[in-house]
Amino acid sequence: MENKIEIMKNLIKEIEKHNYNYYVLDNPTISDSEYDKLYYQLVDLEKETGVILDNSPTQRVGDQVLDKFEKKRHAVPLYSLNKVRDFADLEKWVSDMQTLSPNTLFALEYKFDGLQIVIEYNNGKFISATTRGNGTIGEDVSLQIKTIKSVPLSIDFKDRLIVQGECMMTNKNFELYNKTADEKLKNPRNAAAGAVRNLDPKETAKRNLDYFCYSILLCENKNFTSQLEMNEFLKKNGFQTGEFFKICKNAKEIEQEISKIDEIKSKLDVMIDGMVIKINDTVNREKIGFTAKFPKWAVAFKFSAMETSTYLESVSWQVGRSGRVTPIANLEPVELAGATIKRATLNNIEDIKKKGVLEKSRVFVRRSNEVIPEIMGLAEKYDYSKEIIAPEYCPSCQHKLIMKGPLLYCENKYGCKEQVIDRIAHFCSREAFNIEGVSEKSIESFYNSLSINRPSDLFDLKMEDLLKLDNFKEKKAQNMLNSIKNSKNIDFYRFIFALGIPEVGVKTAKDIAKKYFNFDNLKNASYEDILSVNDIGPIIAQNIYDFFRDYENICEIERLFAHGIVIKEVQVNKNLYFEGKTFVITGTLSKPRNEFESIIENLGAKTSSSVSSKTNFVLCGENAGSKLDKAKSLGVKIINEEEFNNMIKDFH
């Protein structure tokens, strides 16, 4: 029995090591099947012995569903952070700190936009996790937080330790979840907060959350001299601290780093709403002290607001290329995250009712990751505010609308002007057939004057047709006809994307093209086979399968082929040197980024949007930002465009 317990302890240690490599370092060192073998060996031993150790990874998702959350008093009171409004305020604060702590350095970190969680350990084991609450009393969410695989259940440090961090859902995991979810999540922050506050830990686990640790509130029998030392201690004990941590000497350096992050924040995999600046020297922190609410030795620099409130003047209904009719809020213009916002999505009629949004009311609006702004809820209603009612007839063609779940659709596919324009514009877009000069305005003219209502009709256009239209002279018409003709030889993934299959973006189109190589393979693929494609869930698989079983879709594709469209079959020239390697592209290069991505992927390598220890090469152009800095800090090989071309010459 003792021998089996010892084996279980070793298995737990090994599994947690691999969890750390995979979830924290983003650097798996064994395959999924090898990991499963270790995990199920532990499961079998637990069944055989009847013993489950406290730190067993099998207990990350327990069977216990809570009736309610229990209140819990924090062992160490939590403070808020004072904020600086601009660089002038920041410079004054830095000057004050330099007076109180001469020659001090400053630690700069992300200000995560998540749910604050405090976790306690003792004797190297996870004890509890608590929400921030009011800073004195929070709620015990231990079972929920144990489901997060980047939260270590056991650590090397054996004395009492209390850490503070942010529970987050990364943008990547948010998108993956929404691909297969029946009810799509609204944004990563709400997704994380909702998951942690779910009484059933199994539901929490489905969100695949992360935990980023940034502070040590209590560490018995150990003193730290700096924030840098704290950060290293956290990483050494298996905590994820986020990809950005910088030591700066003065206000100028801090401002330069903040400006860099402000430019790229929408491209990060985590939501941040600012930066946190702390005195690095912890000894002087004690001397500088606290106010009743804030530590004096730390401040937050907030980026431009991502959420605000404004007046909802009216609601219009917009018809997309799939026939879906979406409500759009027309707003009193408001400045938000560096842009003037006049319109925002309301998603669907069920979402409107759920949020209690009314026409002629004040609403909360949020803009995140540079996507279309979204109405988050009702801020204030008035006596004259009124209910938003879904239309019965299409606002574009007056065709009777149908309801599919919470969504409205117009099925007048080729007679609905807005649908036709949107569909043809998508077909002509840069990532699709890349037909230059075809704007929405020109497509509207084609529809009104030339009865063009399908993408295939574009290939019937003649000079005399175009010269009948306003604003078309011979040179412009000839350029457009040349562009249409030149588009006929097309990459397979571009063709797939151009078809406008619901929820199939460029990345999914590339994944499909790699799997099937040519159109016939894709057209004849079964639902189960499509589902096996990387990152495709049941909803998208069904969309693809249904698309190629729709008679009108197939007829349109046959028309395209009859007009001489030739799909370039995928030629994957895999090379042993490139196969399995990961590239990150950053900065401005001589050609569009997607051209470099195609070259890399056709050589058997892959591209990633973020630099990690798994990255093999960073292809760097002009004006590269934080990705270049991270590559240098991790020792990743950095190459310029000339070196990249030489690599291709040598190995292609």
Side-chain angles (χ1 to χ4, degrees), residues 196-412:
V196 171
R197 292 197 52 75
N198 195 302
L199 293 166
D200 185 353
K202 287 185 178 177
E203 291 302 313
T204 310
K206 290 177 184 177
R207 302 277 173 96
N208 201 10
L209 303 180
D210 271 280
Y211 181 72
F212 295 92
C213 195
Y214 48 73
S215 182
I216 297 172
L217 300 176
L218 185 148
C219 190
E220 284 186 347
N221 301 316
K222 183 168 181 62
N223 295 316
F224 298 97
T225 60
S226 67
Q227 185 68 35
L228 177 60
E229 191 182 343
M230 280 189 196
N231 203 53
E232 292 303 317
F233 173 86
L234 289 169
K235 288 195 283 190
K236 184 181 173 185
N237 278 276
F239 292 97
Q240 184 170 231
T241 58
E243 63 178 28
F244 186 91
F245 182 89
K246 206 97 174 180
I247 297 296
C248 299
K249 296 176 187 172
N250 50 44
K252 184 180 178 182
E253 285 189 9
I254 295 169
E255 288 168 15
Q256 285 173 343
E257 292 300 327
I258 288 174
S259 297
K260 282 183 193 175
I261 299 300
D262 196 10
E263 284 180 20
I264 60 146
K265 64 181 182 294
S266 63
K267 298 182 178 113
L268 298 175
D269 197 26
V270 291
M271 288 180 71
I272 63 171
D273 57 3
M275 303 296 288
V276 175
I277 309 103
K278 304 174 185 174
I279 282 186
N280 188 46
D281 185 340
T282 56
V283 175
N284 282 338
R285 288 181 187 179
E286 296 299 318
K287 297 175 184 174
I288 295 167
F290 298 77
T291 69
K293 290 178 67 179
F294 312 117
K296 295 178 183 176
W297 42 264
V299 290
F301 183 96
K302 293 273 281 187
F303 294 133
S304 299
M306 301 296 277
E307 187 171 305
T308 188
S309 67
T310 189
Y311 186 72
L312 195 165
E313 294 174 340
S314 64
V315 174
S316 53
W317 295 81
Q318 182 174 287
V319 189
R321 67 176 187 270
S322 67
R324 179 177 167 183
V325 181
T326 305
I328 300 295
N330 301 305
L331 305 169
E332 185 178 285
V334 62
E335 290 298 314
L336 184 60
T340 302
I341 306 301
K342 298 178 181 178
R343 305 176 86 213
T345 182
L346 282 159
N347 294 311
N348 58 65
I349 195 68
E350 276 192 14
D351 195 50
I352 289 169
K353 289 176 180 174
K354 185 177 176 182
K355 291 174 177 175
V357 175
L358 302 169
E359 202 168 345
K360 302 195 179 303
S361 67
R362 193 161 193 84
V363 293
F364 292 111
V365 58
R366 185 176 180 86
R367 182 171 183 253
S368 60
N369 296 315
E370 294 181 357
V371 297
I372 183 169
E374 180 184 4
I375 302 298
M376 304 306 295
L378 181 71
E380 186 179 3
K381 67 178 180 179
Y382 309 104
D383 292 341
Y384 51 83
S385 299
K386 58 182 182 178
E387 185 183 355
I388 298 167
I389 298 171
E392 286 185 52
Y393 298 94
C394 177
S396 174
C397 67
Q398 301 306 307
H399 196 269
K400 178 82 171 172
L401 297 177
I402 64 161
M403 186 77 81
K404 296 180 183 177
L407 307 177
L408 277 172
Y409 283 90
C410 171
E411 293 193 315
N412 186 18

Side-chain angles (χ1 to χ4, degrees), residues 1-9 11 45 48-49:
M1 181 74 164
E2 286 182 12
N3 185 44
K4 287 178 180 176
I5 299 293
E6 199 58 39
I7 293 171
M8 288 163 64
K9 287 179 179 176
L11 279 169
L45 280 169
E48 189 181 330
T49 60

Side-chain angles (χ1 to χ4, degrees), residues 396-636:
S396 174
C397 67
Q398 301 306 307
H399 196 269
K400 178 82 171 172
L401 297 177
I402 64 161
M403 186 77 81
K404 296 180 183 177
L407 307 177
L408 277 172
Y409 283 90
C410 171
E411 293 193 315
N412 186 18
K413 191 170 182 178
Y414 297 110
C416 179
K417 184 175 176 179
E418 281 190 42
Q419 273 190 71
V420 169
I421 291 172
D422 201 21
R423 194 177 302 119
I424 296 177
H426 174 81
F427 182 88
C428 297
S429 64
R430 191 176 68 178
E431 288 285 10
F433 271 69
N434 194 23
I435 302 175
E436 294 180 2
V438 181
S439 65
E440 287 194 8
K441 189 175 179 181
S442 58
I443 297 167
E444 186 174 2
S445 295
F446 299 162
Y447 181 89
N448 291 336
S449 304
L450 303 175
S451 299
I452 282 178
N453 60 7
R454 304 167 191 269
S456 59
D457 293 340
L458 293 170
F459 299 95
D460 288 323
L461 283 170
K462 296 179 177 61
M463 177 67 78
E464 53 265 35
D465 297 323
L466 295 177
L467 293 179
K468 292 176 189 173
L469 305 175
D470 293 339
N471 301 319
F472 267 88
K473 302 296 182 189
E474 193 166 326
K475 184 178 179 182
K476 179 180 176 180
Q478 190 58 58
N479 286 341
M480 183 176 288
L481 291 173
N482 290 342
S483 187
I484 291 170
K485 182 180 177 182
N486 293 337
S487 75
K488 287 186 175 183
N489 286 301
I490 187 168
D491 292 325
F492 187 25
Y493 87 85
R494 289 178 179 273
F495 182 82
I496 296 166
F497 178 66
L499 294 176
I501 303 169
E503 310 217 30
V504 173
V506 173
K507 182 186 180 302
T508 303
K510 285 182 177 180
D511 291 339
I512 295 167
K514 283 181 199 170
K515 165 87 173 179
Y516 293 107
F517 300 105
N518 61 53
F519 178 72
D520 284 338
N521 290 342
L522 172 59
K523 183 180 76 170
N524 298 318
S526 67
Y527 166 79
E528 289 74 17
D529 195 46
I530 298 168
L531 192 57
S532 70
V533 177
N534 185 43
D535 285 345
I536 287 185
I539 294 172
I540 296 178
Q542 193 67 54
N543 288 346
I544 296 166
Y545 181 80
D546 291 345
F547 187 88
F548 293 111
R549 272 135 200 93
D550 183 293
Y551 177 74
E552 285 190 342
N553 291 337
I554 295 300
C555 287
E556 173 62 6
I557 291 166
E558 287 174 354
R559 285 190 198 96
L560 290 170
F561 290 149
H563 281 91
I565 302 302
V566 177
I567 298 172
K568 301 174 196 172
E569 289 196 7
V570 176
Q571 300 293 325
V572 181
N573 304 312
K574 288 193 176 180
N575 183 289
L576 290 176
Y577 180 78
F578 284 93
E579 193 165 2
K581 289 188 167 60
T582 301
F583 282 72
V584 170
I585 303 171
T586 185
T588 305
L589 298 161
S590 66
K591 293 181 287 191
R593 188 168 295 188
N594 60 0
E595 291 188 30
F596 288 97
E597 288 174 349
S598 294
I599 294 167
I600 289 164
E601 288 163 4
N602 282 338
L603 286 166
K606 62 180 180 178
T607 58
S608 174
S609 59
S610 59
V611 180
S612 74
S613 55
K614 291 187 346 186
T615 307
N616 299 100
F617 298 100
V618 170
L619 171 55
C620 190
E622 293 179 9
N623 303 316
S626 62
K627 290 179 185 176
L628 176 60
D629 294 336
K630 186 166 185 188
K632 288 176 180 176
S633 70
L634 292 174
V636 174

